[in-house]
């Protein structure tokens, strides 16, 4: 039977062999956040530009769906929540992609490949993106409540 005998060649390690670490999560989040910014961010930006081009009523409708509807119907409350979730997600994706890109920039210089340093800076990227997102939205909420 051809192909049944062991070849003696080493097999490539697979996912079960590797220990999951923050550096792997940062790599995956970098790809996901880049795609999210490109697709969702572009669609939001084009919707915003289209609503501006369509006139004041369309822009008011866009703001009512994404940010705040002074009339406050039940449908707009749901779209307001969904719109804010998308905006918070885009903010997180921006900071995650930014900090991860800065980490890769440092790695491109040849620094930070030691295991402890790599795990530390990967954790800093994840925590930093969450903290920067929270700080941004706390500032936005404070400005919205005060002014």
């Amino acid at each position: 039977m051809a192909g049944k005998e062991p070849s003696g060649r080493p097999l490539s390690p697979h996912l079960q062999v590797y220990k999951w670490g923050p550096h792997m999560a940062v790599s995956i989040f970098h790809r996901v956040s880049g795609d999210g910014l490109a697709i969702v961010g572009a669609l939001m930006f084009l919707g915003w530009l289209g609503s501006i081009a369509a006139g004041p009523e369309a822009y008011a409708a866009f703001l009512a769906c994404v940010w705040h509807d002074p009339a406050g119907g039940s449908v707009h409350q749901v779209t307001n929540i969904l719109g804010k979730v998308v905006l918070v997600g885009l903010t997180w994706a921006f900071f995650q992609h930014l900090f991860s890109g800065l980490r890769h920039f440092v790695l491109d210089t040849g620094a930070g490949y030691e295991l402890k340093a790599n795990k530390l800076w990967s954790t800093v990227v994840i925590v930093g993106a969450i903290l920067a997102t929270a700080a941004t939205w706390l500032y936005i909420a404070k400005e919205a409540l005060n002014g």
Side-chain angles (χ1 to χ4, degrees):
M1 296 184 149
K4 294 291 183 185
E5 55 277 338
S7 65
R9 296 172 50 195
L11 297 175
S12 282
H14 201 272
L15 293 175
Q16 292 89 355
V17 176
Y18 294 114
K19 289 184 181 177
W20 188 260
H23 55 289
M24 291 178 173
V26 167
S27 177
I28 292 168
F29 287 154
H30 187 74
R31 292 178 175 102
V32 168
S33 63
D35 288 344
L37 286 170
I39 297 168
V40 178
L43 289 174
M44 288 287 289
F45 182 66
L46 289 174
W48 178 70
L49 284 179
S51 69
I52 290 173
E57 297 84 17
Y59 184 66
F62 178 83
L63 286 181
C65 284
V66 176
W67 190 247
H68 178 67
D69 184 14
S74 61
V75 173
H76 283 287
Q77 288 176 349
V78 172
T79 59
N80 290 159
I81 292 169
L82 292 176
K84 287 181 179 111
V85 166
V86 169
L87 291 175
V88 169
L90 284 173
T91 307
W92 170 82
F94 170 76
F95 284 120
Q96 179 69 34
H97 202 74
L98 172 70
F99 295 155
S100 180
L102 291 173
R103 176 181 164 268
H104 281 285
F105 181 70
V106 171
L107 289 173
D108 287 343
T109 66
Y113 281 104
E114 300 81 22
L115 188 58
K116 286 185 180 181
N118 198 346
K119 286 183 179 182
L120 171 72
W121 288 109
S122 298
T123 305
V124 167
V125 165
I126 294 169
V127 171
I130 292 169
L131 291 176
T133 302
T136 300
W137 280 95
L138 286 173
Y139 177 77
I140 291 170
K142 183 185 94 171
E143 291 296 318
L145 290 174
N146 292 337

